Amino acid sequence: RCASIFRQAREAFPDLDLSTAALAGADLSILTDEAEIGIVKMLASYPRIIEGAAAAHEPHRAAFFVHELASAFHSLWNKGKDSPQLRFVNQTDRKSTLARLAFVHAVRGVLASGLAVAGVAAPEEMRCRSLSAGAHKVRLTARANGSSIGGAWLVLEWIAP
C-alpha cells in the first residue's frame, strides 16, 4: 500500500521531489488527525519494542507490533476515503501531500524493518495473477524492489465444502 501511494503521488505530481531529503523537510505540523498522531506515536515506540523483544527473547512482539501498525495504517487509509483532507495524495494541496508522503515513508520504513526482523522482505506490489475455480487456487505475485525474493509466488489452496 505504501508503494502504491508513492506511485499515485508521482502520477499526480510528476515534478515533486520525493527524495528522502525532500521528505525530511516536509512540514509535519499538518498531521493533526488523531489517527495520524496515534501512528506517529507507534512509530516512535518501535525502537523500544525491538529492544524489549530482544531482551526478553520474545520475537513475537515485533510481529504483533508490525500487525498493529499495518492495521492502524489501513484504518487511516480507509478514513481518507470518507475525508478527502486525510487522503495521502491531494492534487490540490502539494504541501499536505508532501507531509503525508513523509509520514508514509516513515511507516514504510518501520514496516520493512519489522518484517526484516522476521526475515521477510516487504513487497513493492501484490497483484492477483490467476484464479482457477476447480481447486480454488489463488496465485499472488509479490515483487520486491531490489530484494532477493524477486518474483516470489504465494499459493493458497483450500477445498470448497
Side-chain angles (χ1 to χ4, degrees):
R1 188 150 282 173
C2 294
S4 119
I5 292 168
F6 274 87
R7 281 193 298 275
Q8 290 174 3
R10 283 186 200 95
E11 289 174 14
F13 300 104
D15 62 328
L16 186 63
D17 182 3
L18 298 178
S19 67
T20 302
L23 295 173
D27 178 10
L28 299 180
S29 68
I30 292 169
L31 306 176
T32 58
D33 184 76
E34 183 180 309
E36 293 168 327
I37 292 168
I39 291 173
V40 168
K41 289 178 181 179
M42 288 181 76
L43 296 174
S45 73
Y46 177 66
R48 288 188 311 278
I49 297 293
I50 296 301
E51 185 178 308
H57 302 286
E58 296 177 342
H60 66 277
R61 289 186 192 183
F64 289 169
F65 176 84
V66 167
H67 181 264
E68 289 173 17
L69 178 59
S71 294
F73 186 72
H74 179 74
S75 293
L76 181 59
W77 171 282
N78 284 331
K79 202 172 179 181
K81 290 179 183 178
D82 298 328
S83 303
Q85 72 275 10
L86 292 178
R87 291 186 181 145
F88 296 112
V89 178
N90 183 340
Q91 292 186 349
T92 62
D93 189 351
R94 291 172 73 95
K95 189 176 178 181
S96 74
T97 295
L98 190 60
R100 289 200 167 82
L101 289 174
F103 171 79
V104 171
H105 181 70
V107 169
R108 182 183 192 177
V110 170
L111 288 172
S113 175
L115 289 170
V117 167
V120 177
E124 287 291 317
E125 180 178 32
M126 293 194 68
R127 293 195 184 254
C128 184
R129 297 289 185 210
S130 66
L131 177 65
S132 65
H136 299 284
K137 292 182 184 177
V138 176
R139 183 176 287 179
L140 300 173
T141 183
R143 287 190 292 160
N145 192 11
S147 170
S148 62
I149 69 166
W153 290 95
L154 170 65
V155 179
L156 305 171
E157 294 185 62
W158 68 94
I159 299 171

